[in-house]
Amino acid sequence: MKDLMRLRSLLGTEVEALLNNQIKMEAYNSSVYLAMASWCDRNGFDYSADHFYKQAEDEREHMLRFFKYVSDMGGTAVSPSVDGIPQEFESFREVFESALELEVKTTQAINNIADKCYKEKDHVTVEFLNWFHKEQREEEYVARRCLELFEVIGEEGTGRWEIDKAIPSVSYGNE
Ligand SMILES: [Fe+2]
Ligand SMILES: [Fe+2]
């Protein structure tokens, strides 16, 4: 019976720790996007604010996916505390630069978990992570496209106003 206790969790200790880090990262991302929505709202970029509110919701959903997975696998899902959320941004453009940076870091973190899973032969978690690899491909695509609008449209004159208006039309594969 004692041996059964060790089978309580299907997750290795290190994979479980990485997944808990990811729960924290997704919660952090959600809060950063909320701060970006607030910044856009108070600076008159309504469409971008809506975009970031939606991103904040998506990140919370990601957080919950990881959270429920750890729990379902018999691990201990740790409810995340987040701090150090930037509330101010230098410019409209910097908000979108930071968003892309956030997504690139997230992709790297998820790749890092997958590397560990391959090493540990944890194919179950590898399969779980596949959804996130595809999601990150879309998230990075959208973040890059949004940032490209600053080059394509330009910030002069009514440029920023035009960029803001174009944000809702950015989507992955026009889905
Ligand atoms: Fe995410
Ligand atoms: Fe994301």
Side-chain angles (χ1 to χ4, degrees):
M1 283 307 274
K2 255 185 190 170
D3 284 350
L4 268 180
M5 287 306 285
R6 276 194 286 133
L7 297 178
R8 184 185 56 88
S9 174
L10 294 167
L11 293 170
T13 321
E14 287 174 70
V15 170
E16 185 177 326
L18 287 176
L19 291 170
N20 269 312
N21 281 347
Q22 199 56 36
I23 288 169
K24 214 177 164 72
M25 188 180 223
E26 301 292 345
Y28 175 84
N29 289 354
S30 182
S31 292
V32 172
Y33 278 133
L34 213 49
M36 288 171 172
S38 168
W39 189 94
C40 287
D41 254 342
R42 65 184 185 271
N43 285 280
F45 302 112
D46 287 354
Y47 293 100
S48 300
D50 283 350
H51 169 78
F52 288 121
Y53 278 122
K54 200 188 151 292
Q55 290 300 121
E57 269 177 43
D58 285 354
E59 299 301 338
R60 180 175 157 76
E61 204 186 290
H62 298 165
M63 188 267 285
L64 283 175
R65 264 180 196 260
F66 279 108
F67 198 90
K68 286 175 181 161
Y69 179 74
V70 172
S71 257
D72 287 350
M73 294 290 280
T76 300
V78 180
S79 181
S81 59
V82 289
D83 48 26
I85 308 298
Q87 306 292 338
E88 289 299 334
F89 299 89
E90 290 289 308
S91 62
F92 187 37
R93 188 191 179 111
E94 204 223 337
V95 174
F96 284 93
E97 285 171 350
S98 304
L100 176 58
E101 219 175 290
L102 209 62
E103 292 302 337
V104 171
K105 270 188 196 160
T106 304
T107 303
Q108 286 168 349
I110 292 170
N111 282 341
N112 188 41
I113 305 173
D115 284 350
K116 185 75 193 164
C117 291
Y118 278 115
K119 268 186 211 145
E120 308 256 317
K121 296 189 172 26
D122 180 350
H123 301 294
V124 179
T125 304
V126 165
E127 195 273 334
F128 165 76
L129 290 175
N130 283 339
W131 184 89
F132 282 97
H133 295 313
K134 185 173 172 286
E135 177 71 5
Q136 282 313 115
R137 197 172 77 207
E138 296 182 14
E139 296 263 270
E140 278 198 32
Y141 177 92
V142 168
R144 284 206 174 83
R145 278 280 178 274
C146 286
L147 197 52
E148 274 167 19
L149 291 174
F150 287 79
E151 302 301 329
V152 175
I153 296 172
E155 292 186 68
E156 303 305 309
T158 57
R160 281 189 281 272
W161 181 78
E162 296 282 351
I163 293 165
D164 183 46
K165 245 176 53 173
I167 293 294
S169 64
V170 177
S171 68
Y172 182 82
N174 290 322
E175 280 167 339

